[in-house]
Amino acid sequence: MNQRKMGDLLPRLIPILAVLLALLVGAVMLALLGTNPWEAYRALFIGAFGSTNALADTIVKATPLLFVGLGICIAFRGGVLNIGGEGQLVTGAIAATAVALAVPTWPGWIIVLMSLSAGMLAGAIWGGIAGLLKAHLNVNEILSTIMLNYIAVFGMNYLLRGPMMDPLQIKLGSFTPQTARLPRSVDLPRLIPTRLHLGAAIAVVLAFAVYVLLWRTTIGFRIRTVGKNLRAALAAGINTKRYMVLSLLLAGAFAGLGGAVEVLGLHHRMFTDGSAFGFTGSAGFNGIVAALFGQLHPIGTIPAAFLLGALLTGANKMQRVMQVPSALIGALSGLIVLLVVGSEIFHRRQIRRADKRNSELEDAVDAKEDS
Amino acid sequence: MSTSIIEQVQVKELVARGIVKQFPGVLASDHVNFDVHSGEIHTLLGENGAGKSTLMKILYGMYRPDAGEVLINGTPVRFHSPLDAIRQGIGMVHQHFMLVPTFTVAENVALGLPSSRRVVLDLDIVSRRIEELAKTYGLHVDPQAKVWQLSVGEQQRVEILKVLYRGASLLILDEPTAVLTPQEVEEFSETLRRMINEGHAIVFISHKLHEVLALSDRITVLRNGRVVDTVLAADATKEGLARLMVGREVILQVEHPEVTYGDVRLAVHGLSANGDSGLPALRGVDLEVRASEILGLAGVSGNGQKELAEVIAGMRSSTSGQVFFDGTDVTGSLPGKLLDHGLSYIPEERMVDGTVRDFSVEENLILKDHHRQPYAHGVFMDFTKIASESDRLIEAFDIRTPSRHTPLKSLSGGNIQKLILARELSRNPSVLVAAQPTRGLDVSATEYVHRRLIEQRSAGTATLLISEDLDEILNLADRIAVIYEGRIMGIVERGNVDVEQIGLMMAGVSEQTTK
Ligand SMILES: Nc1ncnc2c1ncn2[C@@H]1O[C@H](COP(=O)(O)OP(=O)(O)OP(=O)(O)O)[C@@H](O)[C@H]1O
Ligand SMILES: [Mg+2]
């Protein structure tokens, strides 16, 4: 029994070990650049957790990661890969902004609900398109979601430089590509007097909702069946195409909602630097890491997103305090992604190996690998 | 075996003493003593989940025992992987074949072995050696043929050739005959006899008692991981063995009560479909099954049975023709719609179409009805009901599992089949398509399934029973249709069965219909 518990615990520790290893390698890189790694990491830690403000910033950073990550949990469980978080965040944000700007005089809470729904819907459509392409035309969803990211960015740039540009910017002649500020009545309430807004709480509540969806409802049962064995799912009467589309659609919906929340809770307007990154800060990709880090479990994704948020926030501060080149921060977070994902893949392979050993296939595989 | 690639010892005698293997919740081997020596066939017999495969996997180095020792020619050995076992001259043919379909026979045999020309392939040498072996042991197969073109029986010969090629002197054969036709079993027995004459030792697993009696020298019966007895085949009887295995009397033949047939429930008209390779597998099949009737479909495997079952179950599309359920045209419908019409389907490929490996026993049991009462109310699943129903089915169908939460993949082969049967039969189907429903089941489970099929028949189910086991069809079917190369050769009433004639039709010889 004890042995079993150890066996269960180890895989959960692997991501943590991966982060520690990444920090270790980062320390070596810092030392080589002539920075004191200890000091640097202290700055990172303080930057992420050192004050109420820092902690609030960490959570604010983690929020979109959690939204995207929840969608990723659903998609992965349904056997589809969603690389389209960036595009879905962007379309969600644009839709939310457009709705809020269209009816500025309505009661705030109605606009908030409409705006969040619009964001969710837009993201769902963006994900759903990839789902439809996969289910009916057999288009690989990795390719289609990446393409859809580009389309979303082009759309965003066009709208913010054209029809949706802030009239004030036009009047001033500065033509900054951003929309007008949304009416203050739609600002999401602050949780404490920091930048921390209601969005984080919404995301956490939704994490539990996703758990219920996946493991307590027939919809989740079907999504998981399709993800595990397509033919058995079909034989069980499940409309496999529909559920493939649904998995991507839900993944898009969560990311889209994440984009809407970013607008209403944090930026209060939509803006662009020409790329998706300017608005998303790569949350669409980091959300995937958060979900993998959280073992593709919605509840596990909560602390995973938080840790990743801390790392991003802290690294930012570290960069400013220690004057380390920003490329190093990029390298560090890349390293963590690599190690986390790598350890995840490694772990899966180990499980598969163990399975194989039990399932009589082992030496066939060995034979193939040997040859 | 001078040409053998790997330096090996000849296994004169293998002795396993006090083998213990514990899995979570199951003691799969409980102080097992077992031995086999050159020149004999020693059969392992036991119910599904008795621990036969586990013991064999221990001898083959796939599992490490918790206690006990294995001696070869008197010397204790320790295997860390099958590679160690292969080096000691042990070979195993698993129930599920592990050949690469797009490779030739020779390529499959050579796979994973060093070439005698180092980096240059020596397939010509391999082919020659295969032909030699094939001649010695009567394992006829063309070394140049691609594996996907071979029948199941031929593939099995390749598996055995592969093991022999590696110079094994002890062969472990886990349910090798489950997939063979009666004629193939004959050839197979001949091969085994030649092998023991050459001094090989063979461990054989099968659930078919007549085969076991005909082939074995000694028989060891396992029950719940323990050895019940080891007997000489010459002294054993079918009934006696069944009693040893199960611990009670087993009725080997079920009753076949009179029924009145109802309306036609399942009808297939002019049905054609392609096989996986894209070539026609069904060529205009016509069949009708009435309520309370079992239509047996006999035939050598690979003559379109699998495709027919799949088209009816909505898992494969047809190229022409129609399928009717209760007079409604359901051609091309998704399985979901067919399930609503009362279809139950026991697929031939249980791990691919019938179950989800990574799901628990309970999730697999509710796979087809997860959205219906009592398992769900609206979209929410009712886990109390799921638990109680699962436990009831586990009990009723005697599925040997530590709990309903156990992942399906750790169940024994026969118990996975029982789970599928539990799910499909408990739905009280109006049409049942059963492909090889008792493949891999032990005698008592087979008896139980036969009884359940007859019960369903009395309850009005229209059953299409596809089986390579002619005895099973003769026992259960009201009418017998014979399929050959995708065509129905004829349909015979239960009353006037001529086994000889059915055999001929299975071989595609006679095309006359006996009405
Ligand atoms: N890898 C595993 N993990 C957990 N339990 C296992 C594993 N392999 C086998 N078992 C359990 O051990 C018991 C014996 O299984 P085994 O496969 O040896 O049965 P068997 O005699 O070969 O049955 P069958 O005739 O159905 O093939 C079963 O209860 C099975 O559930
Ligand atoms: Mg077995």
Side-chain angles (χ1 to χ4, degrees):
Chain A
M1 215 50 226
N2 238 333
Q3 222 177 346
R4 268 186 74 71
K5 273 203 189 120
M6 275 300 290
D8 285 350
L9 201 61
L10 196 66
R12 288 177 201 285
L13 285 179
I14 283 178
I16 313 248
L17 294 177
V19 170
L20 290 179
L21 189 62
L23 290 179
L24 202 70
V25 176
V28 173
M29 296 196 311
L30 285 166
L32 287 177
L33 286 170
T35 313
N36 180 340
W38 174 245
E39 287 290 315
Y41 282 150
R42 226 174 75 95
L44 187 147
F45 188 83
I46 293 173
F49 308 110
S51 64
T52 320
N53 260 323
L55 202 58
D57 274 355
T58 289
I59 299 176
V60 166
K61 231 342 177 237
T63 302
L65 304 189
L66 184 51
F67 275 110
V68 173
L70 292 177
I72 297 292
C73 288
I74 299 174
F76 260 84
R77 297 276 172 185
V80 286
L81 294 164
N82 176 32
I83 316 294
E86 292 282 286
Q88 294 149 7
L89 280 166
V90 164
T91 44
I94 290 176
T97 310
V99 167
L101 288 175
V103 285
T105 53
W106 291 21
W109 63 273
I110 292 185
I111 309 178
V112 168
L113 283 183
M114 282 174 49
S115 186
L116 291 179
S117 310
M120 201 159 176
L121 187 69
I125 292 172
W126 227 239
I129 292 173
L132 287 170
L133 287 171
K134 180 180 174 71
H136 296 285
L137 297 173
N138 211 7
V139 176
N140 184 311
E141 76 275 18
I142 299 180
L143 289 180
S144 62
T145 47
I146 291 176
M147 301 293 237
L148 284 162
N149 284 347
Y150 284 113
I151 298 175
V153 171
F154 288 137
M156 166 178 73
N157 289 339
Y158 165 73
L159 289 171
L160 296 190
R161 289 188 180 124
M164 284 178 77
M165 188 184 275
D166 186 354
L168 193 68
Q169 292 290 333
I170 300 172
K171 205 153 53 182
L172 292 175
S174 53
F175 297 106
T176 314
Q178 62 179 35
T179 66
R181 194 201 188 283
L182 304 191
R184 292 196 184 270
S185 61
V186 307
D187 289 4
L188 290 182
R190 299 274 155 99
L191 293 183
I192 43 173
T194 52
R195 298 206 303 157
L196 184 60
H197 55 85
L198 187 66
I202 297 177
V204 169
V205 170
L206 283 179
F208 286 91
V210 171
Y211 170 77
V212 171
L213 173 79
L214 282 175
W215 280 283
R216 293 280 176 259
T217 70
T218 55
I219 300 166
F221 185 86
R222 291 174 183 190
I223 289 176
R224 289 187 297 119
T225 308
V226 170
K228 285 286 186 197
N229 183 344
L230 202 62
R231 276 189 69 99
L234 185 65
I238 297 169
N239 187 332
T240 50
K241 293 192 176 189
R242 186 182 299 163
Y243 281 85
M244 230 179 242
V245 177
L246 183 68
S247 299
L248 275 167
L249 184 139
L250 285 174
F254 278 95
L257 181 61
V261 164
E262 285 291 278
V263 171
L264 299 193
L266 190 63
H267 305 303
H268 309 299
R269 61 156 47 97
M270 189 65 195
F271 56 91
T272 180
D273 69 350
S275 71
F277 178 83
F279 173 73
T280 65
S282 282
F285 295 125
N286 289 331
I288 302 176
V289 181
L292 287 173
F293 201 2
Q295 319 264 312
L296 296 174
H297 193 292
I299 309 300
T301 306
I302 301 173
F306 176 74
L307 269 178
L308 227 61
L311 201 74
L312 294 170
T313 313
N316 233 327
K317 302 262 169 73
M318 170 172 96
Q319 187 189 341
R320 258 179 279 146
V321 174
M322 305 297 295
Q323 300 292 319
V324 291
S326 67
L328 184 80
I329 305 299
L332 200 60
S333 51
L335 201 64
I336 289 174
V337 172
L338 211 65
L339 282 167
V340 169
V341 177
S343 69
E344 193 61 34
I345 292 169
F346 173 75
H347 174 56
R348 264 154 214 273
R349 272 182 65 154
Q350 290 248 307
I351 293 182
R352 224 177 310 140
R353 287 232 166 137
D355 276 0
K356 287 258 167 72
R357 222 170 292 142
N358 300 347
S359 76
E360 319 184 324
L361 281 166
E362 158 137 291
D363 50 354
V365 172
D366 278 353
K368 274 175 223 169
E369 277 175 1
D370 287 351
S371 67
Chain B
M1 294 285 119
S2 54
T3 37
S4 126
I5 306 294
I6 310 163
E7 257 333 289
Q8 278 159 327
V9 278
Q10 149 99 26
V11 179
K12 293 248 186 296
E13 183 192 46
L14 178 142
V15 180
R17 269 198 227 130
I19 300 289
V20 177
K21 181 73 191 177
Q22 173 84 52
F23 286 120
V26 205
L27 193 52
S29 300
D30 185 359
H31 297 91
V32 173
N33 296 322
F34 183 82
D35 66 277
V36 57
H37 49 80
S38 95
E40 82 161 342
I41 300 182
H42 192 161
T43 296
L44 260 186
L45 203 58
E47 290 182 281
N48 296 125
K52 304 179 295 295
S53 297
T54 302
L55 182 61
M56 291 305 104
K57 287 177 191 170
I58 288 171
L59 297 186
Y60 191 52
M62 289 174 81
Y63 293 155
R64 239 175 279 177
D66 301 332
E69 57 174 356
V70 178
L71 295 95
I72 291 181
N73 302 339
T75 326
V77 287
R78 281 189 148 266
F79 298 151
H80 299 286
S81 79
L83 223 57
D84 292 340
I86 292 170
R87 273 192 208 105
Q88 294 285 344
I90 300 176
M92 181 158 175
V93 175
H94 300 276
Q95 189 175 353
H96 310 110
F97 300 152
M98 296 183 291
L99 302 171
V100 186
T102 51
F103 280 18
T104 66
V105 170
E107 283 166 343
N108 267 288
V109 169
L111 199 64
L113 292 176
S115 164
S116 59
R117 291 192 199 117
R118 291 174 177 277
V119 292
V120 180
L121 277 178
D122 56 350
L123 285 175
D124 50 328
I125 302 179
V126 176
S127 295
R128 233 173 298 133
R129 176 91 187 105
I130 289 176
E131 275 161 11
E132 264 171 58
L133 283 171
K135 208 176 293 157
T136 319
Y137 297 106
L139 291 160
H140 302 294
V141 53
D142 173 10
Q144 265 30 279
K146 301 254 193 230
V147 163
W148 63 264
Q149 298 170 317
L150 303 181
S151 74
V152 187
E154 286 171 315
Q155 289 186 29
Q156 176 144 55
R157 274 175 243 157
V158 178
E159 287 281 7
I160 296 175
L161 278 171
K162 211 167 114 181
V163 170
L164 289 172
Y165 188 89
R166 282 154 206 239
S169 47
L170 168 63
L171 281 89
I172 299 171
L173 310 171
D174 195 350
E175 300 196 33
T177 54
V179 294
L180 299 186
T181 61
Q183 295 92 313
E184 285 174 325
V185 171
E186 263 317 303
E187 291 169 28
F188 177 76
S189 323
E190 183 52 33
T191 301
L192 291 197
R193 278 187 208 106
R194 288 194 199 185
M195 289 199 286
I196 51 174
N197 284 342
E198 291 279 320
H200 287 82
I202 291 171
V203 184
F204 177 61
I205 299 178
S206 169
H207 289 293
K208 299 180 188 167
L209 294 177
H210 59 275
E211 264 172 35
V212 169
L213 284 171
L215 276 173
S216 329
D217 295 297
R218 286 191 297 155
I219 301 165
T220 289
V221 180
L222 281 179
R223 199 196 307 157
N224 296 328
R226 239 170 290 160
V227 173
V228 185
D229 204 354
T230 300
V231 296
L232 290 175
D235 304 338
T237 62
K238 268 194 200 180
E239 290 73 20
L241 288 176
R243 203 179 322 113
L244 276 180
M245 275 167 65
V246 184
R248 64 172 169 86
E249 289 300 327
V250 181
I251 309 124
L252 295 170
Q253 179 120 20
V254 286
E255 288 204 29
H256 199 267
E258 285 290 323
V259 289
T260 21
Y261 304 126
D263 296 333
V264 172
R265 284 241 164 113
L266 168 67
V268 166
H269 292 316
L271 198 66
S272 296
N274 292 338
D276 289 336
S277 56
L279 300 171
L282 290 179
R283 305 156 200 258
V285 169
D286 291 298
L287 287 176
E288 289 191 342
V289 193
R290 292 166 286 178
S292 295
E293 182 181 41
I294 296 179
L295 176 68
L297 186 68
V300 176
S301 86
N303 275 290
Q305 293 97 319
K306 181 173 154 237
E307 288 80 3
L308 178 62
E310 286 182 353
V311 172
I312 297 174
M315 297 294 291
R316 180 182 292 272
S317 46
S318 52
T319 47
S320 66
Q322 289 134 327
V323 180
F324 295 91
F325 279 22
D326 289 318
T328 315
D329 189 343
V330 293
T331 319
S333 300
L334 283 177
K337 188 166 163 225
L338 304 175
L339 291 182
D340 293 340
H341 273 282
L343 168 80
S344 270
Y345 173 44
I346 299 165
E348 186 175 338
E349 308 216 12
R350 57 178 93 134
M351 296 308 278
V352 181
D353 292 347
T355 52
V356 182
R357 277 174 60 79
D358 295 324
F359 275 14
S360 64
V361 165
E362 149 186 278
E363 286 174 308
N364 274 290
L365 277 169
I366 62 162
L367 207 56
K368 290 199 173 166
D369 292 304
H370 62 273
H371 57 299
R372 282 180 235 267
Q373 295 277 4
Y375 302 137
H377 309 292
V379 296
F380 287 100
M381 302 182 81
D382 181 339
F383 286 91
T384 344
K385 284 281 163 40
I386 292 173
S388 59
E389 273 302 287
S390 301
D391 284 341
R392 192 179 66 73
L393 290 175
I394 289 169
E395 166 102 35
F397 283 79
D398 191 25
I399 303 168
R400 306 277 167 91
T401 172
S403 84
R404 57 172 193 275
H405 303 297
T406 305
L408 178 101
K409 61 187 170 202
S410 60
L411 261 56
S412 83
N415 281 297
I416 291 173
Q417 184 71 1
K418 286 199 236 170
L419 182 151
I420 294 178
L421 286 155
R423 183 182 69 211
E424 300 300 325
L425 294 183
S426 63
R427 310 179 66 238
N428 196 20
S430 85
V431 172
L432 170 65
V433 176
Q436 320 295 350
T438 57
R439 178 183 282 175
L441 290 191
D442 64 45
V443 275
S444 68
T446 302
E447 172 207 358
Y448 183 70
V449 169
H450 286 176
R451 223 165 0 96
R452 288 299 304 249
L453 289 176
I454 293 292
E455 269 173 42
Q456 284 306 141
R457 169 177 174 268
S458 303
T461 301
T463 305
L464 175 64
L465 171 66
I466 301 173
S467 177
E468 282 150 23
D469 182 351
L470 197 52
D471 287 337
E472 178 166 271
I473 288 189
L474 293 174
N475 268 335
L476 299 176
D478 295 272
R479 287 184 301 145
I480 300 167
V482 182
I483 191 167
Y484 176 74
E485 292 196 339
R487 287 195 189 87
I488 300 297
M489 303 299 287
I491 296 179
V492 187
E493 297 284 339
R494 182 182 179 81
N496 39 21
V497 165
D498 176 357
V499 178
E500 195 100 339
Q501 189 202 357
I502 291 182
L504 285 174
M505 289 198 282
M506 281 168 70
V509 175
S510 120
E511 194 155 7
Q512 68 191 179
T513 310
T514 327
K515 275 272 156 139

